Amino acid sequence: MNIKQLLLSFVFVSTLIGCRQNADTHNKTHQEASHAMSNADIKEASFDFGTWITSNRRKSNDDYVSEFKRYKSGGIDEILINTGTDPKELERLVPLAKAEGLKVHAWIMAMNRPGDSVALQHPEWYVVSRDGKSCYDTRPYVNYYQWLCPTREASRNHVLSLVEGLAKVEGIESVHLDYIRFPDIFLPIGLLPKYNLVQDEELPEFDFCYCDECINAFEKVHHKNPKEIKNTAIDMEWKNFRLNAIKSVVDDAYKIVHKYNKKLTAAVFPYPEMADHMVRQRWDKWDIDEVYPMIYHGFYNEEIDWIGYATKQGVTDIESENISLHTGVYLPPFKSAEELKEAIVLAKENGAKGVTFFDGNGLTDAYLEAIQDVKSQMNL
């Protein structure tokens, strides 16, 4: 089905549902249609398009105003800005973006803190692999992987203090957590050739965290040492310990940002079961306001329809929770504006509250025109 057919189908179904919403509630088909319509009404009013961007302190205010105007005129509603966790830089950019009608989120690299001058003074803060290597000086996959331990009080409090510094900035919508997980125990399948890797099992050099703090905390509750577990991949207590360590950081961050009347959002792996398997991240269990799953189909050697599939998986898992979902898409694999339109329609049809693009530099004029076109056809 091409994009025009998808859009016509969407309009037709919306109209049909509207006609049926007062029909016999005992008829199953009509019940489902009414439920879909009530959900659609809520999402229709708040469907947003966003983009992740990274700030440049050398870039002038005038240049940023031009950039923000271009986003807004191209259909973008919000920007998620990585300022290197610098509140001052965020304070500079927020009023410029808001003046152009853009909502602003403060994007922070949370547990992965490359080049963090404070953390680097504390080698004990870093996660340790099953083969005994610390991220302080031995980094998995890439040199910018410098992960902090979420269990150790000092390292987790450092991250939370950075969250609080951003939450204090006036005018932001949320603090947006990224890398809020452990290092990848499994890479996306499409990236494995880049690293000349085969990952058919949990390899010790990518399995974290086995620092003294994690070992002691786990032993205190479960009376066993993870280093002595024969097959850690199937030990659910050890897996849940790490899932809960990340959840604890998120839940504390939630309390902090809400103290300043801000929301907590996060960039997460495609859907909860997948995130659980790949990076020890179970985001449907978190205290959080919105999630932005990175449904980067090219990373997984998937086709565009997978964006709809993964969106639906996430929406289904958080259906009973007070969490909304924005589908994140990675622009380089798209071959045309028509493909991007298709991805947007699939995300919306499967329950997303918005679509966010990585990243601003990849938003060509053709893509911005496509976003505007979809917005007008969907009456967004």
Side-chain angles (χ1 to χ4, degrees), residues 21-34:
Q21 61 182 344
N22 294 318
D24 184 358
T25 57
H26 295 286
N27 183 284
K28 182 179 179 182
T29 301
H30 289 185
Q31 281 184 324
E32 292 174 348
S34 296

Side-chain angles (χ1 to χ4, degrees), residues 182-280:
F182 282 91
D184 316 61
I185 186 67
F186 294 107
L187 282 179
I189 190 170
L191 299 183
L192 288 173
K194 178 179 178 181
Y195 299 96
N196 194 28
L197 281 173
V198 175
Q199 292 183 327
D200 294 333
E201 59 183 341
E202 294 189 358
L203 300 174
E205 61 267 39
F206 306 121
D207 183 12
F208 295 88
C209 173
Y210 292 76
C211 75
D212 291 342
E213 194 72 21
C214 284
I215 297 300
N216 292 337
F218 182 77
E219 276 193 304
K220 185 176 181 179
V221 175
H222 297 287
H223 315 294
K224 55 184 175 181
N225 188 328
K227 292 180 179 179
E228 298 171 359
I229 296 172
K230 185 175 181 180
N231 186 352
T232 54
I234 60 173
D235 191 288
M236 289 308 301
E237 288 83 11
W238 178 229
K239 183 178 184 179
N240 281 331
F241 173 84
R242 290 172 289 179
L243 293 174
N244 288 334
I246 296 296
K247 173 176 166 55
S248 177
V249 175
V250 174
D251 292 354
D252 283 350
Y254 180 86
K255 295 172 188 173
I256 290 169
V257 301
H258 277 254
K259 182 173 68 174
Y260 296 97
N261 298 314
K262 308 299 195 311
K263 294 187 294 185
L264 188 69
T265 62
V268 294
F269 266 54
Y271 53 89
E273 295 88 352
M274 192 172 191
D276 178 318
H277 173 70
M278 297 182 72
V279 294
R280 323 293 194 199

Side-chain angles (χ1 to χ4, degrees), residues 60-209:
S60 71
N61 287 359
D62 287 344
D63 286 342
Y64 267 114
V65 169
S66 296
E67 180 179 346
F68 296 155
K69 283 182 183 294
R70 180 173 178 270
Y71 292 149
K72 186 63 179 179
S73 65
I76 298 299
D77 305 294
E78 60 181 17
I79 53 175
L80 303 97
I81 308 178
N82 176 11
T83 62
T85 326
D86 181 355
K88 293 297 182 185
E89 175 70 351
L90 189 62
E91 287 171 357
R92 174 173 82 102
L93 298 179
V94 168
L96 302 178
K98 288 178 72 67
E100 302 307 322
L102 295 169
K103 293 182 285 188
V104 180
H105 301 259
W107 169 19
I108 174 177
M109 295 177 69
M111 301 318 303
N112 182 26
R113 300 290 310 153
D116 186 315
S117 59
V118 174
L120 286 170
Q121 298 175 43
H122 302 276
E124 73 279 7
W125 286 8
Y126 291 81
V127 293
V128 176
S129 64
R130 182 154 43 103
D131 62 355
K133 305 290 178 58
S134 170
C135 256
Y136 176 75
D137 51 22
T138 304
R139 293 152 197 170
Y141 306 113
V142 288
N143 195 49
Y144 66 83
Y145 261 28
Q146 296 179 267
W147 296 78
L148 301 183
C149 176
T151 302
R152 188 178 295 271
E153 184 176 2
S155 51
R156 72 190 306 279
N157 284 349
H158 173 61
V159 172
L160 292 170
S161 71
L162 297 173
V163 168
E164 184 164 20
L166 295 175
K168 291 178 180 179
V169 175
E170 291 298 323
I172 65 167
E173 298 291 317
S174 82
V175 176
H176 181 72
L177 305 176
D178 196 4
Y179 291 95
I180 183 66
R181 56 183 180 84
F182 282 91
D184 316 61
I185 186 67
F186 294 107
L187 282 179
I189 190 170
L191 299 183
L192 288 173
K194 178 179 178 181
Y195 299 96
N196 194 28
L197 281 173
V198 175
Q199 292 183 327
D200 294 333
E201 59 183 341
E202 294 189 358
L203 300 174
E205 61 267 39
F206 306 121
D207 183 12
F208 295 88
C209 173

